Amino acid sequence: MSSEVGKIAKKLMETNKAKKTPLQKALDKMSWVLLGVAIASMLIVFGANKFKIKNEVLLYAIGLAIATIPEGLIAVVTLTMSLGVHTLAKKQALVRKLVALESLGSITNICSDKTGTLTQSKMVLVRAWLPGEGFFRVAGLGFEPAGEVTKKQRLEPPTDARINFAQDSANDEKNSRVASDDGSEETVVVNASNMSASLRRIAQGAALCNMSEIRADDETGYWYGIGDPTEIALQVFASKLEMGKPTLTNDDNQWKLVCEYPFDSSIKRMSVVAHNAITGEKVLFLKGATERVVPCCTGRQDGEQVSSMSTDDLQEHLDPQIQEMARDGLRVLSIAYRYLTPDEESLDMNKTDREEVEVNMTFLGLVGIYDPPRPESLPSVMECYRAGIQVTMLTGDHPETAAAIARQVGILQDEDDEDIDGKSGEHQAISLGPLVMTAREFDRLSDEEIDALPELPHV
């Protein structure tokens, strides 16, 4: 029991010991007080009769002492708590023990996880950003790979005043282009014919560096996902570009996974080595949290070219894009790749340490994944506030993403925006004021500094 696991087991065993609730302690205290009152009452009766204790005096004293003790108190308390349990049952809440009702009634703070609790955990990729190309919008919700990937680009001014509007309209429809009202830019629907090499590569990374699957039910036709919700969203995105894993691994494309370095929560990234039997190339695809992917990169993909960049310069270039996506409540992931060297191609990658492999990567782009809040989250949070209960959201997301979701579910109110200054610290260590704080920032505070805070963080 002296080991760390033994200490945890000992702690768990200690928590099993029944502890009296505040109500039980109050009833115990009251019983001692009533016992004292009963004894005092008997002494008063005896004293009034000059301690000449006769049968009548003794019966009177005992009757007075018994009358002091409320015999029906326990029944009344039990009945009251039973009615409370009945009320909770009507609200679809399960209560195993009556004492839990008292604990529930004395709650002042609720700490809730975000993903799957305040949100639906039905993630969908809605935006992507590539260096040199800008933002792409991804339409469609759910697991069905249906929805257009679009990009806005500026229109070139016409060089010939004699324009055939009928022909232009036909060409626009043919190329899936819709002009904006001011005529300065247009929305282009991306397809296989106009897809850039960078977008094609990031779609390959989203599909191959991925252990999830999406399938359609044979009877209902309803699409469903198998695997991690984040990976399902990436797989759906790739499938919308007709580059899902089933497409890439078929006989026409012949991609095959050679090795996988699985996701590790301590480093927040995963990678795979994929081999294309047609071209013979072996590619390492890497995806994960931006702050863990960028240190592995030595450059970024700019169209057909690769620009060398230091880690700090790349992170500084990405920070504005990350914050813009995070402010919309999107979870931001990064994708990178590189070709294996001839020496690496002859190695057994399954026996090679990932720290030796996940280096010299080329940064491809960012993807933004949206996890919609549950419809009942906002009313529930508002009801907690009306009851005087403070709700705190705990999440591993980017602070801007967390703040955006917190606003949507009511944890951060409009007046709280004045307390969020949006100052930026070191890469992704963003301070949004006292109401939104990263775990690292909170850990640095001493007990005195925490006590001096005007209000504890809400996120």
Side-chain angles (χ1 to χ4, degrees):
M1 296 295 285
S2 60
S3 66
E4 293 301 320
V5 176
K7 292 177 182 178
I8 295 173
K10 185 177 179 181
K11 195 70 176 177
L12 291 174
M13 287 174 17
E14 289 176 356
T15 57
N16 289 333
K17 296 179 181 178
K19 295 182 179 180
K20 291 187 177 182
T21 66
L23 178 60
Q24 291 173 328
K25 293 177 181 178
L27 289 174
D28 289 345
K29 184 178 180 180
M30 188 181 70
S31 65
W32 285 107
V33 172
L34 289 176
L35 178 61
V37 171
I39 295 174
S41 300
M42 292 180 68
L43 292 175
I44 291 173
V45 172
F46 293 155
N49 289 275
K50 299 180 180 180
F51 291 93
K52 294 179 181 179
I53 304 174
K54 297 179 181 181
N55 290 338
E56 295 82 0
V57 175
L58 183 60
L59 289 174
Y60 182 78
I62 294 174
L64 184 60
I66 292 175
T68 306
I69 301 173
E71 301 89 347
L73 179 61
I74 301 300
V76 171
V77 171
T78 304
L79 179 61
T80 303
M81 298 186 74
S82 299
L83 291 175
V85 172
H86 181 67
T87 303
L88 286 175
K90 286 184 177 180
K91 296 182 178 294
Q92 299 180 343
L94 298 178
V95 180
R96 293 180 57 191
K97 298 180 180 180
L98 285 178
V99 293
L101 187 66
E102 180 191 351
S103 302
L104 188 62
S106 59
I107 286 176
T108 58
N109 287 77
I110 295 177
C111 295
S112 172
D113 181 38
K114 179 183 78 70
T115 305
T117 305
L118 294 172
T119 61
Q120 300 180 30
S121 194
K122 294 181 179 179
M123 300 185 185
V124 56
L125 196 152
V126 297
R127 202 178 306 175
W129 179 85
L130 276 66
E133 298 189 44
F135 282 101
F136 291 80
R137 302 276 179 173
V138 184
L141 298 174
F143 299 141
E144 183 177 2
E148 296 178 337
V149 178
T150 59
K151 174 192 173 185
K152 286 188 177 182
Q153 66 181 30
R154 290 190 175 277
L155 285 169
E156 295 293 334
T159 56
D160 190 350
R162 296 172 297 176
I163 300 175
N164 187 334
F165 290 99
Q167 183 64 34
D168 284 347
S169 177
N171 290 337
D172 284 347
E173 183 176 357
K174 179 179 179 180
N175 295 322
S176 301
R177 296 182 176 182
V178 182
S180 62
D181 294 336
D182 58 3
S184 61
E185 61 182 12
E186 61 183 353
T187 300
V188 180
V189 178
V190 178
N191 51 43
S193 62
N194 61 8
M195 189 186 308
S196 66
S198 298
L199 183 59
R200 187 180 302 276
R201 186 65 79 182
I202 203 172
Q204 291 174 350
L208 296 174
C209 189
N210 195 320
M211 298 297 110
S212 69
E213 297 180 25
I214 56 172
R215 299 176 182 175
D217 189 272
D218 295 334
E219 297 180 359
T220 63
Y222 177 77
W223 285 84
Y224 61 95
I226 302 173
D228 180 76
T230 302
E231 292 196 332
I232 292 173
L234 291 167
Q235 197 66 248
V236 172
F237 162 68
S239 298
K240 289 177 180 178
L241 292 172
E242 299 181 358
M243 297 187 68
K245 184 183 286 187
T247 303
L248 294 178
T249 55
N250 63 16
D251 294 337
D252 294 331
N253 295 285
Q254 297 187 19
W255 281 95
K256 181 181 179 181
L257 295 183
V258 176
C259 172
E260 175 198 356
Y261 297 98
F263 177 81
D264 187 339
S265 58
S266 63
I267 59 175
K268 296 183 179 179
R269 64 175 185 259
M270 74 164 289
S271 59
V272 297
V273 176
H275 174 248
N276 188 283
I278 299 176
T279 61
E281 61 184 7
K282 285 188 176 181
V283 184
L284 174 70
F285 290 103
L286 174 69
K287 80 167 189 293
T290 304
E291 68 270 19
R292 298 306 179 94
V293 172
V294 169
C296 301
C297 298
T298 56
R300 70 177 189 186
Q301 189 79 31
D302 286 324
E304 299 291 338
Q305 304 296 325
V306 176
S307 303
S308 298
M309 296 184 73
S310 66
T311 298
D312 290 339
D313 290 341
L314 179 58
Q315 184 68 64
E316 184 178 354
H317 179 69
L318 297 177
D319 279 343
Q321 326 305 331
I322 295 171
Q323 294 182 34
E324 180 177 346
M325 297 170 77
R327 276 193 291 268
D328 292 334
L330 304 183
R331 172 180 288 182
V332 183
L333 298 180
S334 294
I335 299 177
Y337 86 108
R338 75 173 176 89
Y339 294 101
L340 295 190
T341 63
D343 292 338
E344 290 175 326
E345 289 183 1
S346 60
L347 296 176
D348 184 356
M349 301 305 294
N350 290 293
K351 298 180 180 179
T352 306
D353 186 67
R354 69 186 304 166
E355 298 299 331
E356 299 177 6
V357 177
E358 295 172 347
V359 294
N360 300 323
M361 306 294 295
T362 299
F363 186 85
L364 280 171
L366 305 169
V367 292
I369 298 174
Y370 183 62
D371 186 10
R374 293 181 182 274
E376 61 270 22
S377 292
L378 178 59
S380 299
V381 171
M382 292 296 100
E383 192 169 348
C384 286
Y385 282 150
R386 286 192 293 270
I389 300 173
Q390 173 62 51
V391 181
T392 301
M393 185 176 76
L394 308 177
T395 179
D397 286 344
H398 188 278
E400 290 277 7
T401 303
I405 297 297
R407 291 190 189 95
Q408 295 178 26
V409 299
I411 292 177
L412 290 180
Q413 307 294 326
D414 292 337
E415 58 268 18
D416 294 338
D417 291 344
E418 299 177 0
D419 296 329
I420 298 178
D421 51 26
K423 294 179 182 178
S424 297
E426 194 175 347
H427 302 322
Q428 295 220 4
I430 296 176
S431 175
L432 296 177
L435 297 182
V436 180
M437 191 175 294
T438 64
R440 185 176 300 176
E441 291 172 333
F442 192 79
D443 285 342
R444 291 198 200 106
L445 299 178
S446 63
D447 292 342
E448 292 75 16
E449 290 174 325
I450 293 175
D451 293 336
L453 289 175
E455 193 173 0
L456 288 176
H458 293 186
V459 179

